[in-house]
DNA sequence: TCCTAAGCGAGACGGTACGTCTTGTCTTCCA
DNA sequence: TGGAAGACAAGACGTACCGTCTCGCTTAGGA
């Protein structure tokens, strides 16, 4: 018990990783809902009692996975945003790129296959970002202004739809292309006024 | 065999109605997933065996409800669209109005409370409408054009987000106001540079 | 309402007969227990609601059938007994003969196929007969006498076993032969002392 | 894989025992047929799912109990038979004694209360014994001989009737008395002409 | 001849038990 | 000490029968 305190045995980490991976494989294979704790354990080669040693339920396992994602996303996106600060919706490109690096994960979490397991979570993260950006952007207390929150929801809803479409379609367009498209739609509107 | 063919006994209709209503109450009360067939039956004052006489599962009941919605929505929206044909996104106002008339139903189906039970279904219906509208709109095979489907997804994603926000917030704005806002965002973009 | 009291419509009689016959067919086919009211109705070409118009349950139908049997048996056996009064166990031959005339019925009720549906009933009827016969036979209050009831049970148990064996084996021996055998065993014992 | 193979956890044995005991209590209380798996579980203080972990049905539980009985009976009776070999129907006394030691069990299985749950099984065991004894006894192919199987059925049927009577009446006579009576009836016949 | 009460078939309904499946807890043994 | 194995209680599932009921149809027998 010297330094072992947080050096939580390699095995533990290994077990947890197995479980997370098993979960996302299964989500891709058959969607989240019908998955069974037993299936996860079997796929992860882990005893069912061991599962409950680490997580209290299937949802807990999912949440734990999302927490990592959240932390990563949040950091990355904020970085991206301040870095190339001038740009509108700075999170966009960073996120598309991250998604491409972890396609399987994202497809499981946001693809329409997999039942949109984490849409809520991602939506929330993004909402926070966009809201901040909008706020920073100058709040001209104009009279008939559109509620900021509403705009944020609008942008995030649209972004998620684009992301999902891109993932479902096989991420054929490169991140910068899809990013450009999204931003054009978001800043100029969806009506093809000009070419 | 005169007219009795589909005159399926009043009782049957009554039972089914009770079950549908019980379901949406429960969705509003505790979300879709944790609802039990038994709970539905109890709330509807219907025997559990009777439930299975009409529906094969909780999901089947939901689906059956959505089918009605789909038919109604589809008809209404298309009507609205051709009627005031010139307008962009003609479905928007019609849908906001319909939502306001059946707030409970919509809140259960699309509000974030209730777990977005029917987002997929509604999204699909709207996608069809928007896609048609975009197509009719004349898509000159311009070179770097944005894929039509992508635009449709963008618009619908944004619309759903606005709808959800509106429902969750208590539908405080009148339908025509929220409609106007959505259309402004959709046609002019979300960057409120100017008015 | 003059004479109609018990002149219960032909149809009624017909329906009941059908049900009884359906029941014994089914007993022969698959034993009593697993039979379903619905099966009986289907076999009898009778609506399930009609069934409950006449009987309160499968058991009620069975009982009603046994009552007829009981009445018939009782009468016949007592007649036989007094007629050729001198003979021991006068019921025996009469019963074997009756059984042979209604093999199907008896096989359903007493054969080991059919689960011995009515063994209890028959046993009771016979017990009464035998008890009477023994009583009439002179009750020498001998000291270590065997309780009369016990003897009756012994005789009836043995008789039923012989009857069942005979029915299950296809009633190959003629009634008078099997009767003779039973009586020999009953009066002389089962130990083949002599030929 | 040392000795653990069949050392099936104490708990398991305990659970099974509870279930068997619960079953026989219930049989004594209300007969076999109307008993519910749930009732058995409640009486045994066992979860219903646990029941199905061990047995596939109420009947399976019964059968499993009868198997033990069969093994025990068979062994005991055969021992008794060869031991005091000269006696006719050597099984008789052994069985009466065994019955007296386990009155409740026997009453549940063979008493008329309890619906004669196991009459068939017991009958079969005894038939085998008696058939063997008769065969060993030397059956000189005499001409008009009574089929051996028939004699066996006769004896066993009579024996079961006596046993049932004895159990139902409260086993007032001591085993050796009732045994003596049975044997007298079986060897000398039921017509108490003389003592 | 009508008409009217009965027998009847169809089938919705509430209930109860079934046997199955998944969950989360616990205990026991192994490396 | 972490993990595997697996017994166990709890409780939802979808199915099968049950017994009750309501609804129309038919089908005589009495007006």
């Amino acid at each position: 018990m010297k330094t072992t305190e947080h050096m939580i045995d390699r095995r533990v980490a290994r077990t947890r990783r197995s479980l997370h991976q098993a979960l996302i494989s299964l989500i891709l294979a058959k969607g989240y809902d019908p998955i069974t704790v037993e299936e996860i354990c079997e796929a992860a080669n882990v005893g069912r009692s061991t599962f409950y040693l680490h997580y209290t339920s299937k949802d807990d396992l999912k949440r734990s996975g999302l927490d990592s994602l959240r932390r990563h996303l949040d950091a990355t996106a904020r970085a991206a945003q301040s870095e190339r600060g001038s740009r509108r919706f700075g999170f966009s490109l960073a996120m598309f790129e991250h998604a491409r690096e972890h396609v399987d994960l994202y497809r499981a979490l946001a693809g329409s296959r997999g039942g949109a397991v984490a849409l809520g979570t991602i939506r929330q993260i993004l909402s926070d970002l966009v809201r901040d950006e909008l706020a920073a952007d100058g709040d001209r207390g104009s009279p008939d202004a559109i509620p900021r929150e509403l705009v944020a929801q609008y942008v995030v809803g649209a972004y998620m739809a684009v992301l999902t479409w891109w993932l479902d379609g096989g991420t054929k367009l490169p991140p910068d292309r899809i990013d450009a498209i999204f931003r054009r739609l978001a800043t100029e509107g969806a009506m093809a006024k000009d070419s």
Side-chain angles (χ1 to χ4, degrees), chain A:
Chain A
M1 203 207 274
K2 301 195 168 162
T3 50
T4 9
E5 202 86 68
H6 66 288
M7 198 243 175
I8 3 123
D9 214 47
R10 294 286 167 71
R11 274 181 302 171
V12 173
R14 216 192 140 298
T15 299
R16 295 194 177 163
R17 210 174 327 116
S18 299
L19 288 170
H20 278 116
Q21 284 176 349
L23 179 59
I24 69 169
S25 307
L26 284 167
I27 290 178
L28 286 171
K30 49 184 286 199
Y32 181 76
D33 277 347
I35 295 178
T36 275
V37 172
E38 179 140 12
E39 284 171 329
I40 301 175
C41 293
E42 190 178 357
N45 238 312
V46 153
R48 206 161 67 85
S49 28
T50 305
F51 177 98
Y52 287 104
L53 225 54
H54 296 285
Y55 305 101
T56 73
S57 67
K58 186 174 66 161
D59 266 69
D60 188 36
L61 172 59
K62 180 187 76 182
R63 225 173 299 126
S64 129
L66 287 182
D67 281 356
S68 318
L69 180 68
R70 151 173 277 127
R71 274 192 300 278
H72 183 85
L73 253 191
D74 212 76
T76 309
R78 285 187 190 281
Q81 190 139 342
S82 55
E83 181 184 324
R84 18 190 164 170
S86 61
R87 281 240 214 113
R88 295 275 162 226
F89 309 136
F91 70 89
S92 171
L93 181 55
M95 180 120 186
F96 282 124
E97 283 168 341
H98 191 244
R100 170 110 112 178
E101 283 164 36
H102 307 279
V103 218
D104 274 7
L105 177 61
Y106 272 74
R107 263 208 261 275
L109 299 183
S112 60
R113 190 83 204 77
V117 180
L119 280 195
T121 306
I122 302 183
R123 178 183 305 267
Q124 207 182 307
I125 301 172
L126 294 187
S127 301
D128 292 351
L129 289 172
V130 173
R131 212 178 300 114
D132 287 4
E133 182 170 342
L134 291 175
D137 207 50
D139 189 345
R140 349 78 306 157
S142 102
D144 64 343
I146 303 176
R148 186 139 66 222
E149 179 62 21
L150 175 49
V151 180
Q153 292 300 328
Y154 173 94
V155 173
V156 174
Y159 182 79
M160 303 285 298
V162 170
L163 176 63
T164 298
W165 175 88
W166 185 58
L167 289 168
D168 283 356
T171 56
K172 297 229 177 74
L173 298 177
D176 58 339
R177 277 287 292 134
I178 189 77
D179 171 59
I181 292 176
F182 166 69
R183 303 164 64 133
R184 173 134 76 99
L185 289 169
T187 51
E188 299 176 13
M191 291 324 299
K193 297 194 175 167
D194 53 5
S195 78

